Amino acid sequence: MSITKEEELIGMKKISEVVGTTLKLMREYAKVGMSTKELDNYGGEILKSYGAKSAPYETYGFPGYSCISLNNEAAHGIPSEKKILKEGDLINIDVSAELNGFWSDNGGSFVLGTDIHNHQPLVDASKNILRKAINTIKGGVKISEIGYLIETEAKKSGFKVIKNLAGHGVGRSLHEEPENILNYKVKSNRERYKKNTTVAIETFISTKSTVAVELNDGWTLVGNKGGYVTQHEQTILITDNSPIILTASNEIWN
């Protein structure tokens, strides 16, 4: 969305702090032996305490308050009593919500406990690439150039990007223009980032796959060639200089 009034900025800051805080608290709450459903319910209670509504639940009828993807799941994992967290699991939590007509989105991948499966390099690549991409965004920069940066940095780290998952505009709804902020360069895309707009920038960094495919449950996405995928996401306000990271309360870079 385009921020034109002070109250719009206040509204976006408020909901962004809510989703960021929820993500941080859920990450800290995750323990070995807990089900992803229990973790999701905890996040749902935090959102309710702020008066916020889960965006995937409200918008798409998603069966959970947040998307919790485990190990080989790339995105949109359904919280379940049957999915029990184990030492060394690769977990992704994606929290988006609405409050007072404003929407914000953020996510992060992390390793639970000891990194016995060596997922941390993939997690670190995703985090660091997102930080580098966001620090390069300002009004007038081509969307495709940031996609090029993300893919180039992924390759440098020995990884790939998922090409059919993307960041997006956010604000008055969960997904707005620009719709496809992709993790690689699309030469035909001449669109540029616009000053005073809010967008959700997200990385999808992968060990083997380049395309996410949907499972029979109609939600869960996995890589087309297997392996693992990490995602990190921040909602930002674009300026003439470095963007303002609205969801910084998630502390995904700490």
Side-chain angles (χ1 to χ4, degrees), residues 234-250:
Q234 300 275 26
T235 290
I236 66 171
L237 172 66
I238 296 166
T239 71
D240 278 334
N241 299 300
S242 293
I244 295 164
I245 299 164
L246 299 172
T247 46
S249 61
N250 60 32

Side-chain angles (χ1 to χ4, degrees), residues 214-231:
E214 195 172 88
L215 296 182
N216 291 337
D217 63 20
W219 293 107
T220 309
L221 298 172
V222 298
N224 64 327
K225 293 180 179 175
Y228 298 93
V229 178
T230 48
Q231 177 257 20

Side-chain angles (χ1 to χ4, degrees), residues 13-240:
K13 280 183 171 174
K14 201 172 276 185
I15 182 56
S16 296
E17 187 171 352
V18 168
V19 295
T21 301
T22 302
L23 176 60
K24 175 180 180 275
L25 293 174
M26 286 178 74
R27 192 174 62 237
E28 290 168 354
Y29 188 73
K31 298 284 182 289
V32 171
M34 178 185 289
S35 73
T36 58
K37 186 68 187 148
E38 186 183 342
L39 182 57
D40 182 60
N41 286 340
Y42 174 75
E45 288 303 316
I46 297 166
L47 291 177
K48 279 181 198 163
S49 75
Y50 286 106
K53 291 177 180 172
S54 157
Y57 182 81
E58 291 292 317
T59 309
Y60 302 113
F62 180 76
Y65 299 107
S66 60
C67 300
I68 304 177
S69 306
L70 213 50
N71 295 320
N72 65 329
E73 297 172 347
H76 303 167
I78 300 171
S80 167
E81 298 284 6
K82 292 174 184 170
K83 289 183 191 168
I84 305 299
L85 300 180
K86 297 187 291 296
E87 191 77 25
D89 273 350
L90 179 63
I91 304 170
N92 176 267
I93 303 174
D94 193 313
V95 180
S96 53
E98 177 272 334
L99 180 66
N100 301 325
F102 296 97
W103 304 67
S104 188
D105 194 355
N106 73 159
S109 297
F110 62 98
V111 176
L112 186 64
T114 309
D115 184 26
I116 52 179
H117 307 297
N118 197 34
H119 292 309
Q120 197 61 46
L122 184 66
V123 171
D124 290 343
S126 177
K127 276 203 269 204
N128 295 337
I129 293 166
L130 180 66
R131 191 202 294 263
K132 196 162 193 175
I134 285 176
N135 286 340
T136 314
I137 294 171
K138 56 184 172 186
V141 169
K142 277 188 182 172
I143 288 175
S144 64
E145 286 305 316
I146 300 301
Y148 177 73
L149 182 153
I150 291 170
E151 186 175 32
T152 303
E153 290 294 324
K155 281 180 181 169
K156 272 191 211 167
S157 304
F159 299 119
K160 304 173 189 295
V161 298
I162 299 292
K163 293 195 165 186
N164 63 331
L165 294 176
H168 50 89
V170 66
R172 284 298 187 181
S173 61
L174 181 58
H175 289 99
E176 298 178 342
E177 293 293 325
E179 274 289 354
N180 284 317
I181 301 175
L182 293 157
N183 281 204
Y184 68 104
K185 184 172 187 169
V186 180
K187 284 182 184 166
S188 60
N189 183 6
R190 297 170 189 275
E191 214 175 345
R192 295 175 187 269
Y193 288 103
K194 297 188 178 98
K195 182 185 171 184
N196 296 333
T197 61
T198 47
V199 294
I201 305 293
E202 46 191 322
T203 49
F204 291 96
I205 311 300
S206 158
T207 56
K208 292 181 180 175
S209 296
T210 53
V211 177
V213 292
E214 195 172 88
L215 296 182
N216 291 337
D217 63 20
W219 293 107
T220 309
L221 298 172
V222 298
N224 64 327
K225 293 180 179 175
Y228 298 93
V229 178
T230 48
Q231 177 257 20
H232 288 86
E233 176 182 23
Q234 300 275 26
T235 290
I236 66 171
L237 172 66
I238 296 166
T239 71
D240 278 334

